[in-house]
Amino acid sequence: MAKVIIDYEKCDGADCGECADVCSMEVLVLEGDKIEIKCSEECSLCEVCTDVCPNDAIKLENS
């Protein structure tokens, strides 16, 4: 099972919500101006979200 961690001190969801746009599993969603984790257990660990995040605010762990 995957664990998705967002460092909100680094995340600027209002300006860079690309991670939610590229998440094919719909684990990350943009709610207003904040990235939310919808269903981390659905994460396939593809790392596309970490690749597009300009602030390195997303961390994925295989738990």
Side-chain angles (χ1 to χ4, degrees):
M1 181 185 299
K3 183 174 182 180
V4 181
I5 303 164
I6 298 175
D7 182 343
Y8 287 105
E9 290 185 18
K10 293 180 180 179
C11 179
D12 187 12
D15 291 331
C16 52
E18 255 189 275
C19 58
D21 291 339
V22 299
C23 182
S24 62
M25 304 303 289
E26 297 182 0
V27 173
L28 300 174
V29 293
L30 185 59
E31 294 286 338
D33 62 349
K34 186 176 179 184
I35 300 296
E36 296 285 341
I37 302 167
K38 189 173 168 185
C39 298
S40 64
E41 61 272 1
E42 297 292 323
C43 178
S44 65
L45 296 170
C46 70
E47 299 183 355
V48 174
C49 59
T50 60
D51 290 342
V52 300
C53 181
N55 302 326
D56 295 323
I58 303 170
K59 183 176 181 182
L60 304 177
E61 294 179 354
N62 193 4
S63 51

